[in-house]
Amino acid sequence: MNLKRKKAEGFSEDARQFLHIAFGIFIIGVLYFLGKQFTLLFLLAFICFSLLIINLRLIRVENPFDFIFNRLERRGHFPGKGALFYLVGLLFLVSFSFSPTFERGTIAILAVGDGASTLFGRRGKNPLSWNPKKTVEGLAAFLLFGFISSFYFFGILGAALCSLVLGLVETLDLGIDDNLSIPIAAVVLSLFLNL
Amino acid sequence: METDLIYLASKLVDDQFYLLITLFVFVGLFKFKRRDVFLLSLLLTLLFIPVLKDLYKIPRPCAGETYCPSSYGFPSIHSAVSFVFIFGALGTPLFFIILPLGALVSFSRIYLGVHSLSQVAAGATVGMVIYLLVWIFINRFRKHFSLGEEW
């Protein structure tokens, strides 16, 4: 039974990460085709809607969206935690980026790099020396997929630098969800690079 | 009538209505689940937003007009405070009143021309991020002393 549950949780975690990657790419598409203002409005509205269904869950009112939590919710966390942090992180990136290239590139790293890092890192066998909760495989996946996904926006050097900096931030045990720490680090980086 | 309602919504968290703001804070302190997180988030938001305004120095859309506040526009402190209240109300039935109220306050700043959408979105984000970070750190503190995590 434990093995069955473990398999189900593993499948849920993979599903969560694919959704994480897909949604990030979707937001880049919205930015590209519909512009920043629409994207801000969309993300704000989506966050408010998410908060609404999270609150229904918290006060234990049954609603048609319960199946999402049942399918994708991580055990031991408050409902919708991962999704909420991710949405807020995306909104933070879009709000505080003043260069379209930078905002799209960093969203690509957050979505694809971070998603791939979890998919491969969970299966990794070699813990990092500075943070045993993360693996070498996870970091390598972040750097590789982060670079590939942001290369179109930043070029070779920019993609390598951003993927490296944000990848290292992701491995630190700051106690903050990656979906917040990566956007915050990206915005601080943009201030230093004057983007 | 519609304009009066929106103007009133904007004034709900304006610094001229000290009593009203104090009332809202007391409601929060009595009714919200995580009073510690709410109060600290509110204080940090009120401290941090002016710093960000001076850092980014982005003018308001109404800059130069007589009705326009003199401070910079990015990010909006009204929307930041609104979203701290919204997050604070999570887990309570009061949320269903505070969410539309907070959204109305944020929208009113755009409607009145004192902020752009970008400035309101940035303010909302700062309020949310500060609340979530405070929540994380206070929970770590509680975990350390075996007080348990809760929303």
Side-chain angles (χ1 to χ4, degrees):
Chain A
M1 194 53 137
N2 275 340
L3 191 65
K4 203 175 175 184
R5 182 184 286 169
K6 222 175 170 180
K7 256 184 138 175
E9 280 176 7
F11 182 79
S12 290
E13 187 60 43
D14 285 350
R16 266 191 290 272
Q17 295 313 314
F18 281 118
L19 194 60
H20 175 102
I21 293 169
F23 192 79
I25 293 171
F26 169 72
I27 290 299
I28 294 172
V30 172
L31 273 167
Y32 192 79
F33 290 107
L34 296 172
K36 180 167 174 165
Q37 301 297 303
F38 183 86
T39 309
L40 287 172
L41 204 55
F42 172 79
L43 282 170
L44 274 171
F46 203 79
I47 287 172
C48 289
F49 176 73
S50 304
L51 289 172
L52 204 64
I53 58 175
I54 286 171
N55 198 59
L56 287 171
R57 183 86 170 176
L58 283 170
I59 61 173
R60 302 189 207 287
V61 171
E62 277 184 23
N63 63 86
F65 300 97
D66 277 339
F67 77 95
I68 300 173
F69 294 107
N70 295 336
R71 194 71 188 84
L72 295 173
E73 191 174 293
R74 277 198 185 111
R75 290 163 64 83
H77 290 189
F78 82 79
K81 180 185 174 189
L84 182 64
F85 275 71
Y86 187 42
L87 288 169
V88 173
L90 285 171
L91 182 63
F92 187 78
L93 266 177
V94 178
S95 301
F96 283 87
S97 294
F98 297 96
S99 154
T101 312
F102 187 80
E103 81 194 350
R104 291 164 206 183
T106 45
I107 290 174
I109 293 174
L110 175 63
V112 182
D114 191 35
S117 154
T118 305
L119 283 169
F120 288 90
R122 279 178 55 236
R123 295 164 170 87
K125 303 268 185 275
N126 304 290
L128 292 171
S129 57
W130 61 90
N131 183 5
K133 291 182 203 170
K134 304 273 181 176
T135 62
V136 173
E137 291 86 345
L139 175 59
F142 189 106
L143 295 176
L144 178 65
F145 286 91
F147 175 81
I148 292 169
S149 61
S150 62
F151 161 74
Y152 173 77
F153 304 105
F154 291 140
I156 295 174
L157 200 62
L161 175 69
C162 286
S163 302
L164 182 66
V165 170
L166 299 180
L168 288 173
V169 166
E170 198 255 355
T171 62
L172 298 174
D173 186 14
L174 301 168
I176 303 171
D177 194 294
D178 295 342
N179 292 315
L180 276 188
S181 63
I182 293 171
I184 291 171
V187 167
V188 169
L189 184 66
S190 75
L191 284 171
F192 273 110
L193 299 176
N194 210 23
L195 293 171
Chain B
M1 169 71 180
E2 193 186 82
T3 313
D4 290 341
L5 190 66
I6 292 170
Y7 182 77
L8 185 64
S10 193
K11 282 295 179 186
L12 274 173
V13 286
D14 218 329
D15 52 11
Q16 289 159 14
F17 280 65
Y18 297 117
L19 282 175
L20 204 57
I21 292 170
T22 310
L23 176 68
F24 272 104
V25 171
F26 269 103
V27 167
L29 289 176
F30 278 106
K31 288 291 184 185
F32 290 170
K33 281 193 163 188
R34 294 301 303 272
R35 298 163 201 134
D36 48 354
V37 178
F38 165 68
L39 194 59
L40 187 56
S41 305
L42 193 63
L43 288 170
L44 286 174
T45 301
L46 292 171
L47 284 170
F48 198 53
I49 290 279
V51 172
L52 288 175
K53 281 180 188 268
D54 284 338
L55 179 66
Y56 284 95
K57 291 184 168 51
I58 296 174
R60 296 172 183 266
C62 59
E65 304 288 341
T66 47
Y67 64 88
C68 201
S70 56
S71 58
Y72 289 113
F74 184 95
S76 161
I77 199 166
H78 280 70
S79 55
V81 167
S82 299
F83 273 82
V84 168
F85 272 91
I86 288 170
F87 271 63
L90 263 179
T92 70
L94 206 58
F95 176 85
F96 299 110
I97 298 171
I98 295 204
L99 176 65
L101 208 56
L104 184 63
V105 167
S106 299
F107 169 74
S108 72
R109 306 306 284 165
I110 302 169
Y111 187 86
L112 295 173
V114 293
H115 281 297
S116 64
L117 174 61
S118 308
Q119 293 169 355
V120 163
T125 313
V126 169
M128 292 184 219
V129 168
I130 287 178
Y131 191 94
L132 291 173
L133 289 177
V134 169
W135 179 79
I136 288 168
F137 285 112
I138 288 187
N139 272 345
R140 274 190 121 179
F141 175 82
R142 287 167 67 92
K143 202 174 176 182
H144 183 72
F145 290 101
S146 304
L147 293 171
E149 178 182 301
E150 52 175 293
W151 174 254

